[in-house]
Amino acid sequence: MMNWDDLRYFLALVDCGTLTGAARRLQVEHTTVARRIDALEAALKLRLFDRLVRGWQLTTEGHDLVAHAREVEERWFNFERKALSTSKMEGIVRISAPPSLSTFVLAPQLKKLCTSLTGVELELQAERHQVSLGKREADIALRMARPQTAGLVIKPLANVGYGLYASKTYLKKHKEEDWEFVAYEKNSATPHHQWLEDYLMPRKVVLRSNDQMVLAQCAAAGLGVAVLPHYLRQSHRDLQRIEQQACPMRRKLWLVMHDDVRRSPRVRAVADGLIELFSSAEVSDLLT
């Protein structure tokens, strides 16, 4: 008989095109993906993929089944979300949040929430990409951009402020007109990095990165000036906020859940705990 769970492996391989990519998405070994695809083909008595050197390519039969597989997947996730809404106050609740926010705001502040929710295990996923709440990749997401997807419950959680930062040593040695900068990658669309691009013209950028924590460490090491969220000032004791050149950017942080799972007692309890946490004076001081 066919194992319905094998459809997850089928669709992951369709989307990623390689065993390695599918394995990374599913957090398994690539041999597991190959084995599950082999099992699915054997159960269906169909060859779904041609095994090519450059990757696995759908056969005609496999291509014809993709839409049906996605329909089954959506029905399964719908069933899973509905089941979660009737669950008890126990089990895992997955929170997805940006890496720097997870490291310097959530992780140091979650002890009270963890100890107050007996029977609930938190799983904090620090990731840049936006997970699918519909596919239960997370139960709660904290996002810096307001989602536009239908079927989501969205609540403004906090305002995140930004500023110019450099090491104390760097600011002692360099006059403002001699400042050099460490900045985000050139094609970044985030408002605070767009503001910096306008601000620093025509001054020199000595390093670019796609990671805020890398920029914070570079600034702390004396490479130059960076625009950072205020909560990253605690990432290094030598980082100093440049008060005389304030960055006016403030971005909203949103708490997002799928409409089906918000009725789950454990998800609702964690969401309420996060709302309380971000309304506290201690966290507000970190963000502003």
Side-chain angles (χ1 to χ4, degrees):
M1 292 181 63
M2 187 185 82
N3 183 341
W4 292 104
D5 195 46
D6 289 342
L7 288 180
R8 286 197 307 127
Y9 291 81
F10 172 68
L11 290 174
L13 189 51
V14 168
D15 293 339
C16 298
T18 65
L19 290 178
T20 303
R24 188 180 301 113
R25 172 185 288 190
L26 297 169
Q27 298 183 340
V28 298
E29 296 293 332
H30 72 278
T31 53
T32 301
V33 179
R35 178 170 51 80
R36 297 296 287 266
I37 297 299
D38 289 342
L40 181 60
E41 290 181 331
L44 296 175
K45 296 180 173 60
L46 282 175
R47 189 171 182 82
L48 302 174
F49 292 92
D50 288 325
R51 282 72 165 165
L52 305 176
V53 174
R54 63 179 180 275
W56 287 38
Q57 185 173 346
L58 280 167
T59 62
T60 301
E61 292 80 4
H63 188 274
D64 290 342
L65 290 174
V66 171
H68 298 289
R70 294 202 190 282
E71 184 178 346
V72 172
E73 180 188 49
E74 178 54 36
R75 288 180 178 274
W76 170 254
F77 285 127
N78 186 53
F79 173 84
E80 195 176 42
R81 292 193 304 267
K82 292 293 185 184
L84 182 62
S85 68
T86 63
S87 63
K88 298 178 181 179
M89 189 65 179
E90 57 185 32
I92 297 173
V93 176
R94 297 179 181 87
I95 304 168
S96 172
S100 62
L101 189 79
S102 298
T103 302
F104 293 101
V105 180
L106 284 174
Q109 300 291 330
L110 283 177
K111 180 180 178 181
K112 180 181 177 182
L113 182 58
C114 288
T115 55
S116 66
L117 296 175
T118 305
V120 175
E121 178 183 329
L122 295 186
E123 187 175 297
L124 180 56
Q125 302 172 337
E127 46 206 352
R128 293 189 190 91
H129 71 281
Q130 293 193 0
V131 299
S132 171
L133 296 173
K135 293 182 178 181
R136 292 292 319 284
E137 292 175 355
D139 301 305
I140 298 171
L142 304 187
R143 294 181 176 170
M144 297 302 300
R146 194 182 196 283
Q148 303 299 319
T149 308
L152 299 178
V153 178
I154 304 167
K155 179 180 177 59
L157 194 59
N159 289 310
V160 179
Y162 293 80
L164 288 175
Y165 287 85
S167 76
K168 298 171 185 176
T169 305
Y170 184 89
L171 293 175
K172 287 179 181 178
K173 290 183 176 180
H174 297 81
K175 297 179 181 178
E176 182 177 344
E177 58 267 26
D178 298 325
W179 288 350
E180 296 179 334
F181 290 81
V182 291
Y184 220 60
E185 53 193 351
K186 192 70 173 177
N187 60 351
S188 171
T190 54
H192 51 291
H193 289 293
Q194 289 182 330
W195 172 85
L196 180 63
E197 292 296 325
D198 293 335
Y199 171 81
L200 61 82
M201 290 294 290
R203 297 194 243 192
K204 183 181 179 181
V205 174
V206 294
L207 179 142
R208 292 184 183 273
S209 174
N210 66 344
D211 188 285
Q212 286 188 136
M213 289 188 284
V214 170
L215 295 178
Q217 291 300 317
C218 288
L223 259 68
V225 179
V227 60
L228 301 169
H230 292 316
Y231 62 77
L232 272 181
R233 63 180 175 264
Q234 62 180 327
S235 65
H236 200 288
R237 62 184 180 183
D238 198 40
L239 272 179
Q240 179 173 313
R241 184 175 175 179
I242 302 172
E243 300 286 355
Q244 69 269 27
Q245 294 293 344
C247 172
M249 291 295 151
R250 290 169 65 86
R251 298 182 64 191
K252 280 195 179 297
L253 177 67
W254 304 88
L255 183 146
V256 189
M257 297 181 289
H258 195 281
D259 187 52
D260 289 337
V261 305
R262 71 186 174 106
R263 298 178 181 85
S264 164
R266 66 177 183 266
V267 175
R268 183 69 258 176
V270 173
D272 289 343
L274 291 173
I275 292 168
E276 181 181 352
L277 189 156
F278 277 89
S279 65
S280 69
E282 187 173 357
V283 171
S284 294
D285 288 344
L286 287 176
L287 301 180
T288 57

